[in-house]
Every structure is written in C-alpha cells, then in structure tokens.
Amino acid sequence: MLRHQEELLQEADFKAVLSSGPGGQHANKTSTKVVLDWSLANSEVFSEEQKERLEFKLKNRLTKENVLQLSSDHTRSQHKNKEILIKRFFKVLEDALTIQKPRKKTKPSKASKLRRLKNKRIHSEKKANRKNPLS
C-alpha cells in the first residue's frame, strides 16, 4: 500500500462534471461524474527515480504535460464515484511502482523430455494404425 496517501490526495484536483449513463431525467441536472487530474511533474511525494519509473509505466495514460487524468461515472452518486476514483488512482500508482522480479530461464528436465517423446510416439502409432494396411 502506498504511504503518503493524504499528500497525494492534496496534490490531486477533483472536478465534478455532467455524466452520461444511468440517472434518467435527473442525469442532465446533476454533476455525478468525477474527474481526477494529478500532475506527475509537480508531485513532491515521489523521488526523481520513482517519477521516472511512473512516467515510463504510465506513458500511455499521461498527457503531454505529464498529467494523469482518471474519471469515474459508474454510479449515480458523486461521493461513491469519488471513492471509486480514489481507490483506482492509488491502484494505478501502486501497480506502476512495483518492480517485477526478473524471470529465471529454465530447461525442461530429462524426464519431461522423455515423457513428451513417449506421448509423440504413442500418438503417431495411433494414427498409423488408422491407415489401411493394403495401400
């Protein structure tokens, strides 16, 4: 879990805008969709190394000004949409900051090679037995 969550939320800008989707006649009058704008360049929570990692991992989600924009209009409630958005914001940052372990190359064992060849031989004989012996 990310430390400094409160500081991140203070850096983020929340806007409520008109939403499409469910709500009927009430939908065109209330601003239930919530949009989050967070500037990576102006953030003081992360170190330069973390910012570079975030910029690399989130390059498809950042604008030209290095601003992360997320929105939520899943429910008719502005407060619930904001909660959903905050959870997603932290999840996106957390996933981008995780460092994956390098993959270790492995070879198939001798037993697994022999098993594969045995199965190939059985399959081959099964197909050969289907043929007409006269042709």
Side-chain angles (χ1 to χ4, degrees), residues 13 37 41 51 63 72 75 95-96 105 108 119:
D13 293 327
D37 290 337
K51 283 184 183 182
T63 63
S72 175
T75 67
D95 290 347
K105 293 182 182 178
N119 287 336

Side-chain angles (χ1 to χ4, degrees), residues 7-8 11 38-48 51 54 93:
E7 294 169 29
L8 277 170
E11 290 180 354
W38 177 73
S39 175
L40 175 62
N42 297 337
S43 177
E44 296 175 4
V45 175
F46 298 113
S47 67
E48 288 302 316
K51 283 184 183 182
L54 286 168
L93 292 179

Side-chain angles (χ1 to χ4, degrees), residues 106-121:
T106 58
K107 291 182 186 175
S109 66
K110 189 169 185 179
S112 71
K113 287 181 186 176
L114 291 174
R115 235 186 343 265
R116 181 180 61 86
L117 293 173
K118 180 183 169 196
N119 287 336
K120 276 180 75 169
R121 193 166 41 254

